[in-house]
mmCIF file of all heavy atoms in Angstrom:
data_model
loop_
_atom_site.group_PDB
_atom_site.id
_atom_site.type_symbol
_atom_site.label_atom_id
_atom_site.label_comp_id
_atom_site.label_asym_id
_atom_site.label_seq_id
_atom_site.Cartn_x
_atom_site.Cartn_y
_atom_site.Cartn_z
ATOM 1 N N TRP A 1 -13.188 4.026 14.673
ATOM 2 C CA TRP A 1 -12.252 5.178 14.965
ATOM 3 C C TRP A 1 -12.624 5.601 16.323
ATOM 4 O O TRP A 1 -13.769 6.058 16.562
ATOM 5 C CB TRP A 1 -12.515 6.280 13.985
ATOM 6 C CG TRP A 1 -11.922 6.039 12.637
ATOM 7 C CD1 TRP A 1 -12.138 4.980 11.810
ATOM 8 C CD2 TRP A 1 -11.053 6.962 11.925
ATOM 9 N NE1 TRP A 1 -11.419 5.136 10.626
ATOM 10 C CE2 TRP A 1 -10.792 6.378 10.694
ATOM 11 C CE3 TRP A 1 -10.508 8.146 12.217
ATOM 12 C CZ2 TRP A 1 -9.937 6.927 9.747
ATOM 13 C CZ3 TRP A 1 -9.672 8.789 11.283
ATOM 14 C CH2 TRP A 1 -9.376 8.201 10.063
ATOM 15 N N LEU A 2 -11.753 5.386 17.345
ATOM 16 C CA LEU A 2 -12.069 5.638 18.681
ATOM 17 C C LEU A 2 -12.244 7.116 19.011
ATOM 18 O O LEU A 2 -12.980 7.490 19.883
ATOM 19 C CB LEU A 2 -11.042 5.071 19.677
ATOM 20 C CG LEU A 2 -10.915 3.516 19.569
ATOM 21 C CD1 LEU A 2 -9.811 3.016 20.562
ATOM 22 C CD2 LEU A 2 -12.215 2.818 19.838
ATOM 23 N N THR A 3 -11.601 7.952 18.188
ATOM 24 C CA THR A 3 -11.808 9.400 18.243
ATOM 25 C C THR A 3 -11.713 9.797 16.734
ATOM 26 O O THR A 3 -11.271 9.079 15.881
ATOM 27 C CB THR A 3 -10.804 10.178 19.065
ATOM 28 O OG1 THR A 3 -9.510 10.072 18.354
ATOM 29 C CG2 THR A 3 -10.660 9.593 20.435
ATOM 30 N N GLU A 4 -12.061 11.079 16.459
ATOM 31 C CA GLU A 4 -11.950 11.588 15.102
ATOM 32 C C GLU A 4 -10.538 11.665 14.599
ATOM 33 O O GLU A 4 -10.271 11.806 13.387
ATOM 34 C CB GLU A 4 -12.693 12.951 15.039
ATOM 35 C CG GLU A 4 -14.122 12.932 15.223
ATOM 36 C CD GLU A 4 -14.883 12.083 14.203
ATOM 37 O OE1 GLU A 4 -14.592 12.205 12.975
ATOM 38 O OE2 GLU A 4 -15.673 11.230 14.625
ATOM 39 N N THR A 5 -9.549 11.621 15.556
ATOM 40 C CA THR A 5 -8.116 11.728 15.140
ATOM 41 C C THR A 5 -7.354 10.450 15.280
ATOM 42 O O THR A 5 -6.142 10.469 15.280
ATOM 43 C CB THR A 5 -7.510 12.903 15.958
ATOM 44 O OG1 THR A 5 -7.674 12.572 17.340
ATOM 45 C CG2 THR A 5 -8.119 14.257 15.633
ATOM 46 N N ALA A 6 -8.004 9.326 15.511
ATOM 47 C CA ALA A 6 -7.313 8.048 15.728
ATOM 48 C C ALA A 6 -7.843 7.083 14.682
ATOM 49 O O ALA A 6 -8.853 6.447 14.913
ATOM 50 C CB ALA A 6 -7.496 7.473 17.114
ATOM 51 N N PRO A 7 -7.228 6.953 13.491
ATOM 52 C CA PRO A 7 -7.664 5.996 12.515
ATOM 53 C C PRO A 7 -7.853 4.560 13.026
ATOM 54 O O PRO A 7 -7.154 4.120 13.974
ATOM 55 C CB PRO A 7 -6.592 6.055 11.497
ATOM 56 C CG PRO A 7 -5.942 7.396 11.602
ATOM 57 C CD PRO A 7 -5.946 7.675 13.105
ATOM 58 N N SER A 8 -8.749 3.884 12.411
ATOM 59 C CA SER A 8 -9.111 2.492 12.829
ATOM 60 C C SER A 8 -7.949 1.537 12.531
ATOM 61 O O SER A 8 -7.052 1.851 11.773
ATOM 62 C CB SER A 8 -10.300 2.053 11.991
ATOM 63 O OG SER A 8 -10.009 1.814 10.625
ATOM 64 N N CYS A 9 -7.993 0.405 13.168
ATOM 65 C CA CYS A 9 -7.006 -0.674 12.892
ATOM 66 C C CYS A 9 -7.014 -1.034 11.431
ATOM 67 O O CYS A 9 -6.060 -1.288 10.811
ATOM 68 C CB CYS A 9 -7.243 -1.806 13.781
ATOM 69 S SG CYS A 9 -6.750 -1.536 15.496
ATOM 70 N N LYS A 10 -8.297 -1.132 10.872
ATOM 71 C CA LYS A 10 -8.379 -1.466 9.397
ATOM 72 C C LYS A 10 -7.668 -0.450 8.570
ATOM 73 O O LYS A 10 -6.987 -0.874 7.630
ATOM 74 C CB LYS A 10 -9.891 -1.651 9.101
ATOM 75 C CG LYS A 10 -10.061 -2.190 7.716
ATOM 76 C CD LYS A 10 -11.422 -2.735 7.381
ATOM 77 C CE LYS A 10 -12.608 -1.845 7.686
ATOM 78 N NZ LYS A 10 -13.840 -2.380 7.138
ATOM 79 N N TRP A 11 -7.848 0.798 8.947
ATOM 80 C CA TRP A 11 -7.150 1.872 8.154
ATOM 81 C C TRP A 11 -5.636 1.718 8.249
ATOM 82 O O TRP A 11 -5.001 1.807 7.230
ATOM 83 C CB TRP A 11 -7.545 3.294 8.620
ATOM 84 C CG TRP A 11 -6.904 4.328 7.738
ATOM 85 C CD1 TRP A 11 -7.556 4.977 6.669
ATOM 86 C CD2 TRP A 11 -5.641 4.870 7.868
ATOM 87 N NE1 TRP A 11 -6.674 5.853 6.108
ATOM 88 C CE2 TRP A 11 -5.477 5.833 6.791
ATOM 89 C CE3 TRP A 11 -4.604 4.717 8.765
ATOM 90 C CZ2 TRP A 11 -4.320 6.531 6.592
ATOM 91 C CZ3 TRP A 11 -3.379 5.441 8.502
ATOM 92 C CH2 TRP A 11 -3.255 6.349 7.494
ATOM 93 N N HIS A 12 -5.096 1.469 9.474
ATOM 94 C CA HIS A 12 -3.687 1.303 9.606
ATOM 95 C C HIS A 12 -3.182 0.119 8.764
ATOM 96 O O HIS A 12 -2.038 0.163 8.170
ATOM 97 C CB HIS A 12 -3.291 1.180 11.087
ATOM 98 C CG HIS A 12 -3.276 2.429 11.852
ATOM 99 N ND1 HIS A 12 -2.319 3.418 11.725
ATOM 100 C CD2 HIS A 12 -4.249 2.944 12.718
ATOM 101 C CE1 HIS A 12 -2.632 4.401 12.515
ATOM 102 N NE2 HIS A 12 -3.818 4.128 13.170
ATOM 103 N N LEU A 13 -3.905 -0.987 8.849
ATOM 104 C CA LEU A 13 -3.500 -2.125 8.079
ATOM 105 C C LEU A 13 -3.543 -1.909 6.565
ATOM 106 O O LEU A 13 -2.608 -2.218 5.841
ATOM 107 C CB LEU A 13 -4.396 -3.361 8.375
ATOM 108 C CG LEU A 13 -3.947 -4.697 7.700
ATOM 109 C CD1 LEU A 13 -2.561 -5.148 8.153
ATOM 110 C CD2 LEU A 13 -4.990 -5.750 8.039
ATOM 111 N N TRP A 14 -4.546 -1.242 6.086
ATOM 112 C CA TRP A 14 -4.675 -0.824 4.654
ATOM 113 C C TRP A 14 -3.432 0.001 4.267
ATOM 114 O O TRP A 14 -2.830 -0.176 3.292
ATOM 115 C CB TRP A 14 -5.983 -0.118 4.394
ATOM 116 C CG TRP A 14 -5.979 0.564 3.052
ATOM 117 C CD1 TRP A 14 -6.176 -0.008 1.873
ATOM 118 C CD2 TRP A 14 -5.629 1.939 2.801
ATOM 119 N NE1 TRP A 14 -6.021 0.955 0.865
ATOM 120 C CE2 TRP A 14 -5.720 2.120 1.402
ATOM 121 C CE3 TRP A 14 -5.343 3.039 3.545
ATOM 122 C CZ2 TRP A 14 -5.466 3.399 0.806
ATOM 123 C CZ3 TRP A 14 -5.116 4.332 2.974
ATOM 124 C CH2 TRP A 14 -5.183 4.452 1.623
ATOM 125 N N HIS A 15 -3.158 1.076 5.147
ATOM 126 C CA HIS A 15 -2.137 2.005 4.874
ATOM 127 C C HIS A 15 -0.801 1.258 4.753
ATOM 128 O O HIS A 15 -0.055 1.511 3.821
ATOM 129 C CB HIS A 15 -2.073 3.054 5.997
ATOM 130 C CG HIS A 15 -0.887 3.945 5.978
ATOM 131 N ND1 HIS A 15 -0.667 4.900 4.946
ATOM 132 C CD2 HIS A 15 0.177 4.145 6.790
ATOM 133 C CE1 HIS A 15 0.393 5.558 5.162
ATOM 134 N NE2 HIS A 15 0.970 5.072 6.301
ATOM 135 N N MET A 16 -0.534 0.320 5.621
ATOM 136 C CA MET A 16 0.796 -0.336 5.590
ATOM 137 C C MET A 16 0.778 -1.418 4.400
ATOM 138 O O MET A 16 1.858 -1.640 3.837
ATOM 139 C CB MET A 16 1.075 -1.044 6.927
ATOM 140 C CG MET A 16 1.557 -0.077 7.995
ATOM 141 S SD MET A 16 2.745 1.244 7.392
ATOM 142 C CE MET A 16 4.084 0.193 6.685
ATOM 143 N N ALA A 17 -0.353 -1.946 4.078
ATOM 144 C CA ALA A 17 -0.413 -2.766 2.842
ATOM 145 C C ALA A 17 -0.112 -1.942 1.599
ATOM 146 O O ALA A 17 0.676 -2.398 0.742
ATOM 147 C CB ALA A 17 -1.813 -3.443 2.764
ATOM 148 N N ARG A 18 -0.677 -0.747 1.525
ATOM 149 C CA ARG A 18 -0.417 0.087 0.375
ATOM 150 C C ARG A 18 1.031 0.514 0.343
ATOM 151 O O ARG A 18 1.646 0.519 -0.739
ATOM 152 C CB ARG A 18 -1.301 1.443 0.427
ATOM 153 C CG ARG A 18 -2.679 1.187 0.089
ATOM 154 C CD ARG A 18 -2.938 0.874 -1.387
ATOM 155 N NE ARG A 18 -2.385 1.848 -2.261
ATOM 156 C CZ ARG A 18 -1.486 1.667 -3.199
ATOM 157 N NH1 ARG A 18 -0.981 0.377 -3.411
ATOM 158 N NH2 ARG A 18 -1.012 2.656 -3.941
ATOM 159 N N TRP A 19 1.637 0.803 1.529
ATOM 160 C CA TRP A 19 3.069 1.187 1.534
ATOM 161 C C TRP A 19 3.948 -0.082 1.088
ATOM 162 O O TRP A 19 4.889 0.103 0.284
ATOM 163 C CB TRP A 19 3.492 1.584 2.908
ATOM 164 C CG TRP A 19 3.531 3.044 3.081
ATOM 165 C CD1 TRP A 19 2.594 3.898 3.546
ATOM 166 C CD2 TRP A 19 4.608 3.891 2.633
ATOM 167 N NE1 TRP A 19 3.009 5.179 3.438
ATOM 168 C CE2 TRP A 19 4.210 5.210 2.874
ATOM 169 C CE3 TRP A 19 5.820 3.679 2.020
ATOM 170 C CZ2 TRP A 19 5.047 6.343 2.560
ATOM 171 C CZ3 TRP A 19 6.613 4.772 1.708
ATOM 172 C CH2 TRP A 19 6.256 6.079 1.991
ATOM 173 N N ALA A 20 3.631 -1.217 1.585
ATOM 174 C CA ALA A 20 4.385 -2.463 1.222
ATOM 175 C C ALA A 20 4.282 -2.624 -0.311
ATOM 176 O O ALA A 20 5.277 -2.969 -0.979
ATOM 177 C CB ALA A 20 3.839 -3.673 1.965
ATOM 178 N N ASP A 21 3.072 -2.487 -0.829
ATOM 179 C CA ASP A 21 2.883 -2.619 -2.284
ATOM 180 C C ASP A 21 3.687 -1.539 -3.092
ATOM 181 O O ASP A 21 4.340 -1.926 -4.050
ATOM 182 C CB ASP A 21 1.376 -2.543 -2.579
ATOM 183 C CG ASP A 21 0.962 -3.125 -3.894
ATOM 184 O OD1 ASP A 21 1.843 -3.612 -4.668
ATOM 185 O OD2 ASP A 21 -0.204 -2.890 -4.227
ATOM 186 N N TYR A 22 3.601 -0.362 -2.635
ATOM 187 C CA TYR A 22 4.350 0.684 -3.283
ATOM 188 C C TYR A 22 5.817 0.444 -3.211
ATOM 189 O O TYR A 22 6.534 0.501 -4.243
ATOM 190 C CB TYR A 22 4.000 2.035 -2.577
ATOM 191 C CG TYR A 22 4.793 3.222 -3.114
ATOM 192 C CD1 TYR A 22 4.593 3.757 -4.397
ATOM 193 C CD2 TYR A 22 5.757 3.835 -2.330
ATOM 194 C CE1 TYR A 22 5.364 4.823 -4.843
ATOM 195 C CE2 TYR A 22 6.459 4.940 -2.736
ATOM 196 C CZ TYR A 22 6.261 5.453 -4.011
ATOM 197 O OH TYR A 22 6.968 6.579 -4.441
ATOM 198 N N VAL A 23 6.382 0.093 -2.050
ATOM 199 C CA VAL A 23 7.816 -0.175 -1.896
ATOM 200 C C VAL A 23 8.266 -1.373 -2.718
ATOM 201 O O VAL A 23 9.342 -1.387 -3.299
ATOM 202 C CB VAL A 23 8.178 -0.174 -0.414
ATOM 203 C CG1 VAL A 23 9.683 -0.629 -0.221
ATOM 204 C CG2 VAL A 23 7.880 1.156 0.274
ATOM 205 N N GLN A 24 7.394 -2.458 -2.679
ATOM 206 C CA GLN A 24 7.839 -3.640 -3.426
ATOM 207 C C GLN A 24 8.023 -3.283 -4.875
ATOM 208 O O GLN A 24 8.900 -3.788 -5.527
ATOM 209 C CB GLN A 24 6.931 -4.840 -3.183
ATOM 210 C CG GLN A 24 5.539 -4.753 -3.856
ATOM 211 C CD GLN A 24 5.401 -5.117 -5.255
ATOM 212 O OE1 GLN A 24 6.291 -5.736 -5.814
ATOM 213 N NE2 GLN A 24 4.373 -4.614 -5.951
ATOM 214 N N SER A 25 7.094 -2.432 -5.390
ATOM 215 C CA SER A 25 7.201 -2.051 -6.818
ATOM 216 C C SER A 25 8.563 -1.234 -7.060
ATOM 217 O O SER A 25 9.221 -1.541 -8.063
ATOM 218 C CB SER A 25 6.008 -1.233 -7.204
ATOM 219 O OG SER A 25 6.155 -0.857 -8.594
ATOM 220 N N LEU A 26 8.932 -0.348 -6.135
ATOM 221 C CA LEU A 26 10.139 0.379 -6.258
ATOM 222 C C LEU A 26 11.351 -0.564 -6.219
ATOM 223 O O LEU A 26 12.235 -0.409 -6.994
ATOM 224 C CB LEU A 26 10.233 1.410 -5.175
ATOM 225 C CG LEU A 26 9.309 2.573 -5.196
ATOM 226 C CD1 LEU A 26 9.528 3.507 -4.012
ATOM 227 C CD2 LEU A 26 9.423 3.386 -6.452
ATOM 228 N N LEU A 27 11.299 -1.513 -5.221
ATOM 229 C CA LEU A 27 12.453 -2.458 -5.162
ATOM 230 C C LEU A 27 12.533 -3.421 -6.317
ATOM 231 O O LEU A 27 13.589 -3.951 -6.559
ATOM 232 C CB LEU A 27 12.370 -3.215 -3.853
ATOM 233 C CG LEU A 27 12.719 -2.470 -2.595
ATOM 234 C CD1 LEU A 27 12.584 -3.419 -1.362
ATOM 235 C CD2 LEU A 27 14.115 -1.879 -2.612
ATOM 236 N N SER A 28 11.435 -3.653 -6.984
ATOM 237 C CA SER A 28 11.534 -4.625 -8.047
ATOM 238 C C SER A 28 12.533 -4.123 -9.114
ATOM 239 O O SER A 28 13.240 -5.054 -9.751
ATOM 240 C CB SER A 28 10.098 -4.759 -8.746
ATOM 241 O OG SER A 28 9.711 -3.596 -9.472
ATOM 242 N N ASP A 29 12.713 -2.880 -9.305
ATOM 243 C CA ASP A 29 13.637 -2.323 -10.258
ATOM 244 C C ASP A 29 15.109 -2.625 -9.752
ATOM 245 O O ASP A 29 16.021 -2.703 -10.614
ATOM 246 C CB ASP A 29 13.537 -0.849 -10.420
ATOM 247 C CG ASP A 29 12.241 -0.456 -11.110
ATOM 248 O OD1 ASP A 29 11.792 -1.230 -11.907
ATOM 249 O OD2 ASP A 29 11.733 0.627 -10.749
ATOM 250 N N VAL A 30 15.337 -2.898 -8.499
ATOM 251 C CA VAL A 30 16.617 -3.146 -7.928
ATOM 252 C C VAL A 30 17.017 -4.652 -7.995
ATOM 253 O O VAL A 30 18.100 -4.991 -8.263
ATOM 254 C CB VAL A 30 16.735 -2.624 -6.400
ATOM 255 C CG1 VAL A 30 18.017 -2.975 -5.794
ATOM 256 C CG2 VAL A 30 16.478 -1.122 -6.368
ATOM 257 N N VAL A 31 16.021 -5.469 -7.713
ATOM 258 C CA VAL A 31 16.334 -6.903 -7.552
ATOM 259 C C VAL A 31 15.778 -7.784 -8.702
ATOM 260 O O VAL A 31 16.202 -8.926 -8.815
ATOM 261 C CB VAL A 31 15.818 -7.456 -6.206
ATOM 262 C CG1 VAL A 31 16.467 -6.711 -5.051
ATOM 263 C CG2 VAL A 31 14.269 -7.349 -6.153
ATOM 264 N N ASP A 32 14.928 -7.208 -9.534
ATOM 265 C CA ASP A 32 14.340 -7.982 -10.611
ATOM 266 C C ASP A 32 14.083 -7.022 -11.776
ATOM 267 O O ASP A 32 14.699 -5.992 -11.879
ATOM 268 C CB ASP A 32 12.913 -8.546 -10.263
ATOM 269 C CG ASP A 32 13.039 -9.775 -9.355
ATOM 270 O OD1 ASP A 32 13.867 -10.580 -9.651
ATOM 271 O OD2 ASP A 32 12.162 -9.877 -8.452
ATOM 272 N N GLU A 33 13.139 -7.346 -12.602
ATOM 273 C CA GLU A 33 12.630 -6.417 -13.528
ATOM 274 C C GLU A 33 11.521 -5.678 -12.959
ATOM 275 O O GLU A 33 10.887 -6.183 -11.988
ATOM 276 C CB GLU A 33 12.274 -7.135 -14.913
ATOM 277 C CG GLU A 33 11.209 -8.165 -14.732
ATOM 278 C CD GLU A 33 10.965 -8.885 -16.069
ATOM 279 O OE1 GLU A 33 11.921 -9.403 -16.655
ATOM 280 O OE2 GLU A 33 9.750 -8.958 -16.461
ATOM 281 N N HIS A 34 11.108 -4.534 -13.534
ATOM 282 C CA HIS A 34 10.043 -3.791 -12.960
ATOM 283 C C HIS A 34 8.769 -4.561 -12.759
ATOM 284 O O HIS A 34 8.309 -5.231 -13.680
ATOM 285 C CB HIS A 34 9.798 -2.463 -13.715
ATOM 286 C CG HIS A 34 8.671 -1.666 -13.133
ATOM 287 N ND1 HIS A 34 8.939 -0.954 -11.957
ATOM 288 C CD2 HIS A 34 7.415 -1.416 -13.503
ATOM 289 C CE1 HIS A 34 7.800 -0.289 -11.624
ATOM 290 N NE2 HIS A 34 6.852 -0.660 -12.516
ATOM 291 N N ALA A 35 8.166 -4.425 -11.694
ATOM 292 C CA ALA A 35 6.811 -5.022 -11.427
ATOM 293 C C ALA A 35 5.877 -3.936 -10.924
ATOM 294 O O ALA A 35 6.305 -3.090 -9.993
ATOM 295 C CB ALA A 35 6.938 -6.176 -10.403
ATOM 296 N N PRO A 36 4.669 -3.916 -11.396
ATOM 297 C CA PRO A 36 3.737 -2.821 -10.919
ATOM 298 C C PRO A 36 3.158 -3.170 -9.515
ATOM 299 O O PRO A 36 3.397 -4.255 -9.007
ATOM 300 C CB PRO A 36 2.617 -2.903 -11.928
ATOM 301 C CG PRO A 36 2.643 -4.328 -12.450
ATOM 302 C CD PRO A 36 4.057 -4.753 -12.421
ATOM 303 N N GLU A 37 2.472 -2.221 -8.980
ATOM 304 C CA GLU A 37 1.807 -2.462 -7.686
ATOM 305 C C GLU A 37 0.656 -3.372 -7.941
ATOM 306 O O GLU A 37 -0.061 -3.173 -8.937
ATOM 307 C CB GLU A 37 1.337 -1.150 -7.144
ATOM 308 C CG GLU A 37 2.444 -0.164 -6.731
ATOM 309 C CD GLU A 37 1.898 1.137 -6.244
ATOM 310 O OE1 GLU A 37 0.902 1.155 -5.495
ATOM 311 O OE2 GLU A 37 2.493 2.164 -6.658
ATOM 312 N N LEU A 38 0.407 -4.265 -6.976
ATOM 313 C CA LEU A 38 -0.828 -5.105 -7.007
ATOM 314 C C LEU A 38 -2.091 -4.245 -7.140
ATOM 315 O O LEU A 38 -3.057 -4.613 -7.767
ATOM 316 C CB LEU A 38 -0.955 -5.924 -5.762
ATOM 317 C CG LEU A 38 0.024 -7.065 -5.507
ATOM 318 C CD1 LEU A 38 -0.072 -7.532 -4.108
ATOM 319 C CD2 LEU A 38 -0.252 -8.134 -6.500
ATOM 320 N N TRP A 39 -2.080 -3.119 -6.340
ATOM 321 C CA TRP A 39 -3.228 -2.210 -6.287
ATOM 322 C C TRP A 39 -3.755 -1.944 -7.602
ATOM 323 O O TRP A 39 -4.998 -1.870 -7.838
ATOM 324 C CB TRP A 39 -2.778 -0.942 -5.601
ATOM 325 C CG TRP A 39 -3.783 0.045 -5.203
ATOM 326 C CD1 TRP A 39 -3.992 1.232 -5.814
ATOM 327 C CD2 TRP A 39 -4.798 -0.051 -4.244
ATOM 328 N NE1 TRP A 39 -5.045 1.876 -5.255
ATOM 329 C CE2 TRP A 39 -5.561 1.100 -4.294
ATOM 330 C CE3 TRP A 39 -5.110 -1.048 -3.312
ATOM 331 C CZ2 TRP A 39 -6.622 1.427 -3.374
ATOM 332 C CZ3 TRP A 39 -6.158 -0.812 -2.426
ATOM 333 C CH2 TRP A 39 -6.868 0.414 -2.481
ATOM 334 N N GLU A 40 -2.898 -1.605 -8.621
ATOM 335 C CA GLU A 40 -3.357 -1.190 -9.932
ATOM 336 C C GLU A 40 -3.410 -2.466 -10.847
ATOM 337 O O GLU A 40 -4.332 -2.698 -11.535
ATOM 338 C CB GLU A 40 -2.377 -0.197 -10.580
ATOM 339 C CG GLU A 40 -2.434 1.144 -9.870
ATOM 340 C CD GLU A 40 -3.811 1.818 -9.905
ATOM 341 O OE1 GLU A 40 -4.573 1.606 -10.837
ATOM 342 O OE2 GLU A 40 -4.135 2.625 -8.947
ATOM 343 N N PHE A 41 -2.334 -3.257 -10.793
ATOM 344 C CA PHE A 41 -2.211 -4.373 -11.735
ATOM 345 C C PHE A 41 -3.321 -5.428 -11.561
ATOM 346 O O PHE A 41 -3.808 -5.908 -12.587
ATOM 347 C CB PHE A 41 -0.883 -5.123 -11.436
ATOM 348 C CG PHE A 41 -0.586 -6.330 -12.348
ATOM 349 C CD1 PHE A 41 -0.265 -6.159 -13.656
ATOM 350 C CD2 PHE A 41 -0.620 -7.576 -11.787
ATOM 351 C CE1 PHE A 41 -0.069 -7.271 -14.429
ATOM 352 C CE2 PHE A 41 -0.367 -8.653 -12.551
ATOM 353 C CZ PHE A 41 -0.125 -8.558 -13.900
ATOM 354 N N THR A 42 -3.696 -5.751 -10.386
ATOM 355 C CA THR A 42 -4.791 -6.727 -10.158
ATOM 356 C C THR A 42 -6.162 -6.061 -10.042
ATOM 357 O O THR A 42 -7.160 -6.791 -9.853
ATOM 358 C CB THR A 42 -4.572 -7.606 -8.964
ATOM 359 O OG1 THR A 42 -4.530 -6.812 -7.807
ATOM 360 C CG2 THR A 42 -3.250 -8.363 -9.134
ATOM 361 N N GLY A 43 -6.306 -4.760 -10.156
ATOM 362 C CA GLY A 43 -7.600 -4.075 -10.153
ATOM 363 C C GLY A 43 -8.178 -3.865 -8.752
ATOM 364 O O GLY A 43 -9.376 -3.681 -8.668
ATOM 365 N N ILE A 44 -7.415 -3.950 -7.725
ATOM 366 C CA ILE A 44 -7.904 -3.769 -6.340
ATOM 367 C C ILE A 44 -8.578 -2.376 -6.203
ATOM 368 O O ILE A 44 -9.648 -2.331 -5.603
ATOM 369 C CB ILE A 44 -6.872 -4.020 -5.287
ATOM 370 C CG1 ILE A 44 -6.387 -5.485 -5.351
ATOM 371 C CG2 ILE A 44 -7.349 -3.713 -3.953
ATOM 372 C CD1 ILE A 44 -5.156 -5.803 -4.507
ATOM 373 N N ALA A 45 -7.857 -1.385 -6.681
ATOM 374 C CA ALA A 45 -8.491 0.024 -6.551
ATOM 375 C C ALA A 45 -9.808 0.056 -7.139
ATOM 376 O O ALA A 45 -10.731 0.634 -6.500
ATOM 377 C CB ALA A 45 -7.534 0.997 -7.194
#
């Protein structure tokens, strides 16, 4: 973290991975049958 108010690159990548996982689960209801987030389903959390 280059400053206290600038999250690390790893944090930004994690954040966007979480968002992609969240959004893919929401979209699963539109294009397939419901699929959970990897975060919970595979035990990453």
Side-chain angles (χ1 to χ4, degrees):
W1 283 54
L2 298 181
T3 71
E4 293 299 313
T5 57
S8 69
C9 287
K10 187 164 52 172
W11 185 93
H12 284 284
L13 184 63
W14 166 80
H15 173 66
M16 286 316 305
R18 285 294 302 125
W19 261 98
D21 197 4
Y22 175 69
V23 172
Q24 72 79 21
S25 180
L26 292 177
L27 284 182
S28 70
D29 293 329
V30 175
V31 298
D32 282 322
E33 59 185 51
H34 180 74
E37 294 175 41
L38 290 169
W39 186 253
E40 296 296 332
F41 179 71
T42 62
I44 295 170

